[in-house]
Every structure is written in C-alpha cells, then in structure tokens.
Amino acid sequence: MRLARYMGYRLVTALPMIFGIIVLNFLLIHLAPGDAASVLAGESGAATPEYMDALRHKFGLDQSLGMQFLTYVSNMAHFNLGYSYRNDADVSSLIFERLGPTSLLMLTAFGTAVALGIILGLVAATGRNSWRDNIISLISLVAYATPGFWLGLMMIVIFSIGLGWLPTSGFDTVGAGHEGWAEVWDVARHLVMPAVSLALFYLALYARLMRASVLEQTGMDYVTTARAKGQTERRIMTGHVLRNALLPIVTIAGVQAGNLIGGSIVVETVFGWPGIGTLAFNALQSRDLNLLLAIFFMSACLIVIINLAVDVIYVMLDPRMEI
Amino acid sequence: MVDHPPLNKISRRTALALPLGLAASSGTIFSNGFAKADEPVRGGTMVMIVQPEPSTLAHYAVTAGNIPPIATQIYEGLVTYDWDQNPQPNLATSWETAPDGKSITFKLREGVVFHNGKRFTSADVQFSFMEILKKYHPFAPLLLAELTGVDTPDEKTAVLLLANPAPYLMKALAGRDLPIMCKSVFEGTQILQNPSANKPIGTGPFKFGQWDRGQFVRLDRNDKYWKPGLPYLDHIIARFIPDAATRSAALETGEAHFAGYSAVNYADLARMKTNPILDTTMKGYEMTPALSVLELNAKHPPLDKKEVRQAIAYAIDRKVILRDVMYGYGKPATGPLSSLFKTVGFYTDDVRKYDVPDRLDIANKLLDGAGLPRGANGMRFGMHLEVNSFGEQWLRQAEYLKQALAIVGIDLTLRSEDTATWLRRVYTDYDYDINEPFLSQGVDPVYGLNKQYLTSQIRKGVTFVNDSFYANPEFDGILNEAMREQDHDKRAVLYKKAQQILAEDCPLVWLIDVQYVSVFNRKLRDHTTGPLGTQQAFERAWLET
C-alpha cells in the first residue's frame, strides 16, 4: 500500500516537470531556423509565394509564437497530440504505428544486454584473471569500442549478402502475408541483426560494470563474515554479493534506457526498422514540429516512468532503502 | 537466362536504332532478340526502392521527386510520351491545337473507370485542371499560367482554353506533371485535407493497397484497367530503406528488384555491375533533365562583377567533378540548359566556353583585371560556400571547389547545415556568397530557365528561384517571347540566343549535366518503357519466374 501511494505521489510530482519539458522543447525547437513550409517547397524544387503562404497558413506557422504555444498547450491538455501536416496524418497514429516495432527492438536489445551483461560480468569476476575472464574482458572491450552502425553494416555484408541467412532490412517480409507463428518467425529473423547491433555496446558496458562491482563486493567485510560462518561460495555469491552488485547496474541501466531512443536512431536507419528513432530524425529534418514535440513528450514520460521503476527495483533488491 | 546479353544493352541499342514511336511497344521488340523466356509472365510482386519515404501521396499538391514513382502507377495524365518525347494517346485519344494556339481540344477515351468505380468523363478533366491543379499544384504558376478554363461540350471532349499560346503545355500532360483526379472524390471537400491524399484514387494500372509508414506502400493490380491484358504484375511494393548501404544490400540479395534516381550511391554502382543478378541502365531519364550548378550572390561584391563570376567558371575543372564526385555519370555542363534538350532541338553549345585548355590563365587575368590582386598569402578574397544538404556527394564537390578556387586565389570556407537551415539561409535570408544547388529543369526550357533567370523570379522566401539576382530586361524579353511562340523552330532560335546571353553574363556557374542511373534485377523485364522512366507506370513490367 505504501508503495502504491509512493508511486502515485511520484507521478503527480512529475506533472510540473513534464510541463516544463513541454515549454522548453517548444521554445528550443522554434530557435532552429527554417520551417516546414520551406523544407516542403525545397523538396518540390519550385513554389510560389502564394503556395508557401498557403502552406504556412495550413501549418499554422503564420500565427504568432505565443498563439502557436497556446494552441499547442491546449491541445496537449486535451490529450490531442496534434496533426502532422507534412505526413497528412494524426501525430498519435504516426507514433502508435511506430511504437510497437520500437518497443520490440528496445526491449529485446535492452533485455539481452542486461541479462547477458550480468551473466558475463559474473562469470568473469568469479574467475578473475583466468582465461574466461580474459576472453570476456577482451570481447567487451572490442564491443564497447565498435560503433553500432558499422557493426550493423558488417553483419549485413556477412549474414545477408555473404551467407544469405538473414534479411537485410525491414520489420517483416513485405507482401509475404505471413500469419501466426510464421509471422513471429519472420519478424524474429528481421529482429536479430538490429537487436544485436543495438545491444552489443550496452552488453559490453554491463559486463564490465558487473565484473567490477562483483569484485568490489567480494572484498567487503560481510563476505568475510559469511565465509567465517562457513557458508558455501555459491551461497555467498547468490545470497549476498549478487544483490549488492546489481545496484549500480540498475542505476546505469535506468539512465540508459532513456538513451536507447537516441541510440536506436542509427540502428533503425541502417536496418530500415520502422521505429520512433527514424520518425524523430525525419521530423527534425523536415521541421515537423507537432510530431517532434509529441515524440519528445513521449520520451519525457517514458523516462519519468523508468526512473520510478528503477527506484522500485532498488527497494526490492535492498530492503534497507526507504521510500 | 545465361545465354543472352544483358537486357539494358539490348534495349539501349534497339531504341537508338528504331524510328519514332515504335519503342513505345518495347514489349514486342524485345521478343525479337530472345529465343525463350520472352513472353511476359502474368503475376508476381515487384519490389522497388523509393528514397526517401514520401511525406504524402498528394501528387497534385506536392511535387517532391519521391512521390511520382508511386503516384504515377495510380494517376494517369491525358497523354504519355514516346522516346522522342512526342505526345502519345493515354486518357486522351487525340488532340488538336487551334490555329491561334489559344485552345487545345482533347477527345477522351471511352470505357475508362476510376478505382472507385466511377466513369471517367470530361467533367473529371475540368475539375482536375481548374479546381485542383490550377489552384494547388506548385508548378501551376509556370505551367498553367495561361489556362483560363476548360470547356466540356460533351462527356468525351475537353477543351483547354488559354489566354496566350502555351506550346510547352503539350510537354507536361503526363501523369507525372498534371495528373487527372476523380471529381466525385474531391467535390465539395477541402482539397488539401482530402483523405485521398494518402489513399489515392486514379485510373492507372495499379490501385492503392496499403501504406505501412516507415516501411512500404503496396499497390495492387487494377483488374479493370482499360488497357486489355495489362498490367502483368500483381503487386508493386515501394520499400523505404533510409540507409544507402542497406539499400544496395537489398538489391544485391534480390530482396528488391528496382532502384531509380539516386537511391543507390554512385559509389556503389561499380560493385553493383559485378553482381550477376543485377544490371544498370541510364535510360528513362530523358524527360528529367537536371544540372548541378553554383549560384553566385550578385549582391555580395565582388560577385557583382561579371569578370569575377566568369573567372570562377573558368577556374573549375568539371572533368574532375565528373570523375571524382559523380563517378563518371553525367557530362560536363556547357551552359544553362541540359544537353538532354538536344532531342527536342533547344540545346546549343555554341556559347562562351569555360572548359578550355588555358582556363586558369584566363581566370587569373580576369581577376587581375577586376582589381583583385593576390595578397600576402596568395589569396585575393574569401567567400563562403553553402554546402548542399541533400547528400554526401555535395560535400565532396564542395571540398573539390575549395581546392580549385584556391588555385586562382579565392579562399573558400565551407558551411554545412541541415536542409531547413540551409534553405532559410540561402533563399529567405540571402545570407550566402556561393551556393551549390541541384536544379531540375522540367520538360521544357520554360520551366528551367524562367524560374531561374527572370527578373520577376527574384522572390524572397521562395526556394530554388532567381536568388542570384540576375536581371536583364533584354533577356527577359526573349524568354517571354519564346514562351508564347508557337513555331518550334523560332522558339529554338530564341532559346539559342538566351543561352548565349546567359553564358556571357554568367549569373550561375554550370557544373554537371546530371545523369541518373537505375539498378535492376535481371529477372525484372520491360521496366523502362519511356522517357519518363520510373515516373510512369510499370504497366508492362513483368518478372521472370
């Protein structure tokens, strides 16, 4: 019950912060020179002043900044994310179409990175300076230093062009009309390379972090005490060290979950993955302000929620923490 | 499949050897060259790469180059064009221009239905031209300026009424430029907010199927298409893959069958050619002339001096740009019109020539003569170059230009910005010295020359118009006369004069006559059947099984 009340309190206090983010985003975006009308006209290669005026009127760009802001805030208050004139579609439908693929990619990549990272870190730490520690450390160093897009392209060259095992890009086989498990298998095949190229950097990071964290904990007095009490090494590791060693991982993972949207832009672009990342990038390039603001808003909400989740996980891992 | 030469070599050779008009029926011509596997096969799904994803399919209101490859499968025009760019029947079966040039009467095809089941009549032509295209098409002020009305004496006759003769109009009546829409879809609605913007309804060989944003547009075979037996394909899928390397990979693995325009980087083309399943062609871009140029801001001294502008034109070695930036695709530009206008007789290279052996000496002499001696560091003056934001090749070009101009003592600073900022700086704020845009020239000189060089086209805030502040009343007069002149030969004389004046005044520096390239899978046949290439329907395309 206390937990539920705490979460409610946190969500309510987040509201002013989210409003602040909305205002800041709005102002920052309007600092950028150029507008949607000129980009659209630029792509067309020709336009008249009347055409540009008509576009600006349609987009509401002919109104004063204050007026545009009021319209925007009042739309938001009514849970209306607005209309993307550039895409001739509702912003909410554009975002929701992309939310599924992005969530799938992010959760797969993030889940893999955290789970494998923890396991590899643990394996490395328990066999300090052994061959398996050396191999894991070397691999994570290389993975940490390799740019995701390069890795993605290399995987395409090897697994798509060279071996023909995996499709180069997209979310599923276009026009194949798969259903049921065939569809799941199809999407899974498309998911492998983007998820791996997104996960590998984080995986390396968590493995290194976990290794250091475990090594630090094993030198603590409570471990010595446990040993003195005659507990087995396995029991010490799972019952004592692991819980404590996980705390820094949770902290870092919580911070980085927000970064995933940014990081996914590159990977989504390379693999033509129909996610939020490319949507945001295109919206920025074309000054599609309603869409861009909505994506920012959504990311802000996401980060508030993830932070809250991190705090709750903290309490579950370490009951000494107060909420 | 192994024992015959690549398709594009046949088609190129055949098309060159053939007299007028015959090439339009290329499906049958190809069959002469092949012993087997030449009967078109019905069915199959063709995947083409379109880059970038279009923002809308409202072809009548937005003219970005990535829309026509999809939209022209759905929307058709009154006419189409053969390889010599002569109009051929399409939705109109015949046409006649009045002796005074002030009206064109079109006889319309019987038995055509829109994808929503409505019959196509002259009312659709009238509504499309007067209520949609004339009001909302970005090119209307150029192409439809003279159009005053459309008469519909009966269901199968439409008469375009013109204030003055407009000979260029007959070049712009394909589905790419002036598509015909269904009146009942738009009547009584807000045109720009019409739901058919992203679910287009036309008369073409393919119907709109599905748009999965960020991924693809699917088009389905129109079973009630008015050309019997066509199209051959069941589906066309336009895929959107943002990354250039991945686009190439999708072609190499056979996941995609066709990529036109700049969808594949020039740098990747050499590799594509070594792949046994792929081939390339340069055909299908005859009605898409384009030049890469330098715009010089004549409001910023010393660019107001003709000698300085000419010196810049002399200082650049176009062959280097062609080789190192364009990977050999294209030609050095000789003047303000693309050499593609040679087919219709408007192009001339009888102008001041800038690619001459002693060009560096001439450039240095011109700059000395303009009172711009070299300073202590060997430089005469400094300028900014705005780097075109539409791709990496423009940065390569800018890097070369910096070196080339340094030789004659012009110190160039490169400035790269994103598209919106770049367009704002150049066309709204005029805060630039030299700009390196890429200019499409349309189907007639009226399009390419008028918007770029007429004094009346100096219009703040409008992109890709006369931002070099070129103003020459004599030249304006020639262009306006050429626009209304009905006699083709007289027009050709006027445009020759216009090109000579421009080459002398040098308001822009013309760099490369752009050549686009299509990459295709050898299984895909009869894909490029006319001069509009990707910007006309793939009605005859078929896939080998």
Side-chain angles (χ1 to χ4, degrees):
Chain A
M1 207 54 235
R2 244 178 91 205
L3 192 66
R5 258 183 61 201
Y6 171 73
M7 285 169 77
Y9 166 76
R10 282 282 298 266
L11 286 175
V12 170
T13 48
L15 284 178
M17 190 170 70
I18 288 178
F19 182 76
I21 290 169
I22 291 174
V23 176
L24 203 64
N25 281 339
F26 184 87
L27 293 176
L28 280 175
I29 284 175
H30 279 85
L31 280 180
D35 64 22
S38 61
V39 175
L40 213 53
E43 287 169 355
S44 290
T48 61
E50 299 76 39
Y51 177 70
M52 307 271 287
D53 287 348
L55 281 180
R56 293 207 166 94
H57 181 68
K58 189 177 146 190
F59 297 170
L61 295 170
D62 51 351
Q63 292 167 345
S64 69
L65 197 60
M67 204 53 214
Q68 289 185 49
F69 181 68
L70 283 181
T71 316
Y72 181 69
V73 172
S74 102
N75 278 345
M76 294 293 283
H78 293 90
F79 299 105
N80 171 8
L81 292 177
Y83 193 78
S84 163
Y85 292 99
R86 183 186 162 77
N87 289 296
D88 268 320
D90 272 324
V91 165
S92 46
S93 75
L94 283 173
I95 290 182
F96 282 118
E97 272 174 31
R98 303 292 186 96
L99 210 53
T102 282
S103 314
L104 181 65
L105 176 61
M106 281 177 26
L107 289 178
T108 312
F110 195 59
T112 314
V114 171
L116 274 181
I118 289 174
I119 292 171
L120 289 178
L122 202 59
V123 170
T126 49
R128 193 177 177 187
N129 291 331
S130 69
W131 60 271
R132 60 176 199 232
D133 180 22
N134 288 337
I135 289 179
I136 291 172
S137 297
L138 184 72
I139 291 175
S140 47
L141 189 69
V142 171
Y144 186 72
T146 309
F149 75 92
W150 186 82
L151 188 75
L153 288 175
M154 286 307 111
M155 283 199 288
I156 290 177
V157 168
I158 295 169
F159 295 108
S160 299
I161 300 179
L163 299 168
W165 290 352
L166 292 169
T168 55
S169 57
F171 181 73
D172 52 10
T173 308
V174 168
H178 292 308
E179 274 175 30
W181 287 109
E183 169 73 7
V184 173
W185 173 241
D186 189 35
V187 172
R189 274 163 44 85
H190 283 81
L191 181 64
V192 174
M193 292 196 293
V196 169
S197 36
L198 191 58
L200 218 61
F201 171 83
Y202 295 102
L203 190 154
L205 192 74
Y206 298 142
R208 289 160 61 85
L209 199 67
M210 188 66 190
R211 178 178 179 275
S213 182
V214 170
L215 287 178
E216 192 196 341
Q217 293 296 330
T218 43
M220 293 279 196
D221 289 346
Y222 71 83
V223 176
T224 316
T225 311
R227 274 210 190 95
K229 283 161 72 184
Q231 293 204 338
T232 62
E233 282 302 310
R234 172 183 287 268
R235 176 87 190 99
I236 291 170
M237 196 50 78
T238 52
H240 299 282
V241 174
L242 195 57
R243 275 181 172 240
N244 288 304
L246 277 176
L247 285 177
I249 300 275
V250 172
T251 314
I252 296 293
V255 172
Q256 281 181 338
N259 285 350
L260 269 176
I261 292 188
S264 69
I265 291 181
V266 176
V267 168
E268 284 181 5
T269 305
V270 168
F271 290 100
W273 190 261
I276 298 280
T278 38
L279 189 69
F281 185 68
N282 291 338
L284 176 67
Q285 285 280 308
S286 57
R287 299 287 190 268
D288 192 343
L289 301 187
N290 283 349
L291 182 53
L292 198 55
L293 284 168
I295 294 172
F296 284 173
F297 171 70
M298 217 195 55
S299 324
C301 293
L302 194 68
I303 286 171
V304 166
I305 291 168
I306 289 172
N307 272 316
L308 184 56
V310 166
D311 287 351
V312 172
I313 293 173
Y314 260 28
V315 177
M316 282 154 59
L317 283 174
D318 187 349
R320 285 172 303 175
M321 297 225 181
E322 289 288 326
I323 51 175
Chain B
M1 179 172 164
V2 209
D3 55 358
H4 59 68
L7 176 64
N8 77 318
K9 285 188 186 131
I10 289 281
S11 64
R12 214 178 294 157
R13 202 192 305 144
T14 329
L16 286 174
L18 283 170
L20 299 190
L22 262 180
S25 54
S26 47
T28 51
I29 287 166
F30 288 148
S31 56
N32 299 333
F34 302 108
K36 61 170 179 102
D38 246 7
E39 275 309 302
V41 182
R42 187 74 180 270
T45 299
M46 163 192 174
V47 179
M48 64 172 167
I49 295 177
V50 172
Q51 168 58 27
E53 178 170 15
S55 54
T56 165
L57 295 177
H59 185 37
Y60 42 86
V62 184
T63 48
N66 48 355
I67 300 178
I70 299 171
T72 55
Q73 315 295 335
I74 298 164
Y75 291 123
E76 295 182 292
L78 289 175
V79 308
T80 178
Y81 299 92
D82 64 18
W83 284 109
D84 294 288
Q85 303 180 29
N86 296 312
Q88 298 293 321
N90 205 36
L91 287 180
T93 52
S94 66
W95 47 90
E96 203 181 338
T97 306
D100 65 356
K102 292 192 176 176
S103 69
I104 315 174
T105 305
F106 291 91
K107 286 287 173 200
L108 305 179
R109 191 173 294 278
E110 302 274 355
V112 177
V113 277
F114 284 98
H115 299 157
N116 60 357
K118 292 278 190 301
R119 251 171 12 99
F120 161 70
T121 69
S122 56
D124 297 306
V125 177
Q126 184 188 46
F127 192 86
S128 295
F129 273 96
M130 298 312 295
E131 301 302 322
I132 303 179
L133 297 173
K134 176 107 175 145
K135 289 184 181 165
Y136 302 105
H137 198 287
F139 299 166
L142 277 163
L143 295 174
L144 299 178
E146 309 288 3
L147 182 73
T148 54
V150 178
D151 267 356
T152 53
D154 62 60
E155 277 202 339
K156 291 294 152 204
T157 310
V159 186
L160 301 193
L161 305 172
L162 306 167
N164 292 292
Y168 49 89
L169 195 53
M170 275 317 293
K171 287 277 178 208
L173 293 172
R176 177 189 66 171
D177 299 303
L178 296 170
I180 301 298
M181 277 74 61
C182 182
K183 180 178 177 181
S184 66
V185 170
F186 288 90
E187 198 172 29
T189 70
Q190 295 246 316
I191 303 290
L192 289 180
Q193 270 86 34
N194 195 287
S196 79
N198 290 331
K199 295 183 176 70
I201 294 163
T203 57
F206 293 92
K207 295 190 282 193
F208 176 80
Q210 178 195 357
W211 187 348
D212 202 339
R213 294 240 180 211
Q215 285 231 80
F216 65 88
V217 168
R218 192 192 79 234
L219 305 172
D220 303 329
R221 193 190 137 80
N222 174 10
D223 286 318
K224 301 200 177 90
Y225 191 49
W226 55 269
K227 285 186 192 168
L230 296 180
Y232 294 121
L233 296 165
D234 283 342
H235 303 282
I236 293 180
I237 284 170
R239 272 192 69 180
F240 315 121
I241 304 173
D243 185 75
T246 314
R247 287 198 290 279
S248 301
L251 287 159
E252 287 172 277
T253 58
E255 283 174 55
H257 301 109
F258 189 91
Y261 289 91
S262 325
V264 170
N265 276 350
Y266 284 117
D268 284 348
L269 286 172
R271 199 178 78 238
M272 299 271 150
K273 283 183 166 170
T274 64
N275 188 319
I277 69 164
L278 298 177
D279 203 352
T280 59
T281 178
M282 295 191 277
K283 290 186 69 63
Y285 299 109
E286 289 78 1
M287 287 181 90
T288 325
L291 289 179
S292 82
V293 304
L294 294 186
E295 288 179 336
L296 309 173
N297 187 346
K299 286 268 162 74
H300 286 192
L303 296 174
D304 53 338
K305 290 190 179 131
K306 184 165 92 179
E307 296 74 24
V308 175
R309 299 195 298 264
Q310 287 178 341
I312 294 175
Y314 279 115
I316 296 162
D317 188 349
R318 289 159 185 78
K319 288 190 273 305
V320 174
I321 300 180
L322 184 63
R323 188 190 67 208
D324 293 348
V325 180
M326 314 300 285
Y327 290 84
Y329 292 96
K331 283 181 207 170
T334 56
L337 265 193
S338 158
S339 61
L340 286 177
F341 284 105
K342 206 185 272 177
T343 318
V344 288
F346 289 147
Y347 167 83
T348 179
D349 59 0
D350 180 19
V351 296
R352 179 190 268 266
K353 290 197 169 51
Y354 291 97
D355 266 340
V356 288
D358 55 343
R359 52 186 183 79
L360 287 178
D361 295 337
I362 302 176
N364 278 316
K365 248 177 239 149
L366 282 166
L367 290 170
D368 290 338
L372 296 160
R374 287 182 192 260
N377 59 355
M379 291 297 167
R380 300 170 193 273
F381 60 93
M383 299 248 97
H384 275 91
L385 173 73
E386 308 303 325
V387 178
N388 187 326
S389 69
F390 285 127
E392 208 186 331
Q393 59 169 316
W394 304 110
L395 185 59
R396 297 286 93 74
Q397 177 171 296
E399 284 161 356
Y400 165 70
L401 291 170
K402 182 177 168 69
Q403 295 173 25
L405 292 186
I407 296 172
V408 297
I410 301 172
D411 185 16
L412 222 51
T413 306
L414 309 187
R415 186 151 52 194
S416 295
E417 287 165 330
D418 81 322
T419 305
T421 313
W422 172 58
L423 293 173
R424 171 70 152 253
R425 178 186 294 280
V426 174
Y427 297 98
T428 304
D429 298 341
Y430 293 145
D431 177 21
Y432 81 102
D433 302 320
I434 302 178
N435 182 35
E436 52 162 5
F438 167 85
L439 303 174
S440 297
Q441 295 210 310
V443 288
D444 189 278
V446 159
Y447 179 91
L449 293 186
N450 288 31
K451 77 182 171 75
Q452 201 62 39
Y453 304 101
L454 281 182
T455 315
S456 58
Q457 296 292 318
I458 303 174
R459 296 184 304 183
K460 207 178 173 69
V462 181
T463 50
F464 301 109
V465 291
N466 186 353
D467 61 329
S468 52
F469 305 100
Y470 183 62
N472 179 344
E474 184 206 355
F475 174 83
D476 287 356
I478 293 174
L479 237 54
N480 285 326
E481 196 185 337
M483 188 167 89
R484 284 167 196 161
E485 176 57 59
Q486 286 203 76
D487 186 303
H488 188 275
D489 295 338
K490 284 187 190 155
R491 280 192 86 197
V493 173
L494 289 168
Y495 281 126
K496 181 177 177 185
K497 187 88 193 292
Q499 288 169 73
Q500 287 166 334
I501 296 175
L502 281 176
E504 187 60 33
D505 286 348
C506 202
L508 267 59
V509 174
W510 304 285
L511 300 175
I512 299 290
D513 253 16
V514 172
Q515 175 64 59
Y516 304 101
V517 183
S518 306
V519 180
F520 61 91
N521 191 303
R522 287 172 194 256
K523 278 187 182 170
L524 180 72
R525 310 280 291 270
D526 294 357
H527 44 82
T528 305
T529 54
L532 286 163
T534 340
Q535 306 202 331
Q536 66 185 35
F538 286 109
E539 56 188 28
R540 298 191 164 273
W542 56 280
L543 277 166
E544 269 177 29
T545 45

